[in-house]
Amino acid sequence: MKLLRKGRCAITYFGEGCASEGDIPSALNIASVHGCPTIFFCRNNGYAISTHTDDQYKSDGIAPRGVAFGMPSIRVDGNDLLAVYAATQMARQIAVEQGRPSLIEAMTYRIGAHSTSDDDSKYRRPESPEAGFDSERAYWDARSPIIRFGSFLEARGLWSAEEEEALRKVERARSIKALNDAEKVAGPHVKHLFTDVYDKLPWMLKDQQAALKAHLLKYREHYKDVPAAHVDSL
């Protein structure tokens, strides 16, 4: 994009947990040295899977790392839609007009579990970051970007509680229909566990595929939801 000279830039999103990997300082340094028109957008939601930020770094978050590599950096309220937009807009201007990378750290909170197999009650901090709230969750619920931006729109006459209720009813019906329709679609062939990355399967995936087929054939009575044709052609 830099060589094309068409006023374009790239933006990459990552979490504060990813920032603990060696790839991030390398990327920041390369982008800064070569003047890459890149926006590094870090979503700092407080937890890297089950690791709290207190257990990740001792420094003042992620934004100072951009300064260390010589690029403009800013920390914004990640739950403020307009602040995030303004920061990203400015970062884009820096990228396309000055040919420099920049770093944005958006402070937010991960409300839900990391995945369906994650029991986040095991590691969530029970206490609120500030007095006046019953828990960490209550503190961040009060700062919900959906509620805040909704209030912003309502205050300007651009949205209303009645419109909100009507929209929720329509979207709920659409979501339920989409789920019901999806449940009627046959599941993908089990072979696609191995075909979605490589054009030609490496030997270790071939071994795993053979092992899976042998397992499914041996214990077929326990995998009745897997079509026999899928197992035989695996």
Side-chain angles (χ1 to χ4, degrees):
M1 285 184 291
K2 180 179 179 179
L3 296 177
L4 289 174
R5 300 181 184 276
K6 291 186 177 181
R8 298 176 182 176
C9 69
I11 184 168
T12 177
Y13 296 92
F14 57 97
E16 84 289 344
C18 176
S20 296
E21 299 287 343
D23 296 347
I24 297 301
S26 296
L28 295 176
N29 187 55
I30 291 172
S32 186
V33 169
H34 293 284
C36 300
T38 307
I39 303 170
F40 293 90
F41 194 108
C42 177
R43 297 176 299 234
N44 191 336
N45 63 24
Y47 290 94
I49 306 182
S50 59
T51 305
H52 192 274
T53 52
D54 289 347
D55 299 317
Q56 281 192 75
Y57 50 73
K58 197 68 176 176
S59 62
D60 181 20
I62 309 302
R65 303 184 192 184
V67 177
F69 286 102
M71 65 177 65
S73 303
I74 188 172
R75 176 178 293 146
V76 298
D77 180 350
N79 287 358
D80 184 336
L81 197 66
L82 298 178
V84 171
Y85 180 82
T88 307
Q89 190 176 45
M90 178 58 71
R92 184 187 184 282
Q93 184 177 349
I94 292 172
V96 299
E97 294 182 5
Q98 301 180 25
R100 300 177 63 195
S102 57
L103 172 64
I104 300 171
E105 181 182 18
M107 308 304 291
T108 183
Y109 184 72
R110 197 190 76 211
I111 290 293
H114 184 264
S115 66
T116 55
S117 61
D118 176 38
D119 181 6
D120 58 341
S121 66
K122 301 294 185 182
Y123 56 81
R124 292 280 186 182
R125 299 287 175 89
E127 64 277 2
S128 169
E130 294 181 7
F133 298 90
D134 296 335
S135 64
E136 181 184 68
R137 173 66 182 266
Y139 171 85
W140 284 101
D141 276 342
R143 289 157 176 75
S144 166
I146 298 174
I147 295 174
R148 289 169 64 183
F149 194 64
S151 298
F152 174 83
L153 294 176
E154 288 182 16
R156 285 155 179 76
L158 301 174
W159 195 243
S160 67
E162 292 75 21
E163 290 175 298
E164 178 80 16
E165 183 179 1
L167 179 64
R168 286 181 178 272
K169 287 181 179 179
V170 170
E171 294 305 321
R172 176 177 172 79
R174 288 181 59 189
S175 297
I176 292 174
K177 182 180 183 304
L179 287 171
N180 291 334
D181 291 344
E183 288 178 348
K184 298 174 184 177
V185 178
H189 196 296
V190 69
K191 69 180 180 181
H192 294 309
L193 287 169
F194 306 93
T195 63
D196 64 335
V197 175
Y198 295 99
D199 179 41
K200 294 182 180 180
L201 291 186
W203 65 267
M204 70 284 290
L205 282 185
K206 290 181 179 179
D207 287 352
Q208 292 175 28
Q209 185 173 353
L212 176 61
K213 182 174 182 177
H215 177 83
L216 292 175
L217 287 172
K218 184 176 181 179
Y219 300 102
R220 180 168 285 184
E221 67 275 12
H222 298 292
Y223 296 96
K224 297 179 180 179
D225 57 332
V226 180
H230 286 195
V231 178
D232 295 335
S233 61
L234 183 61

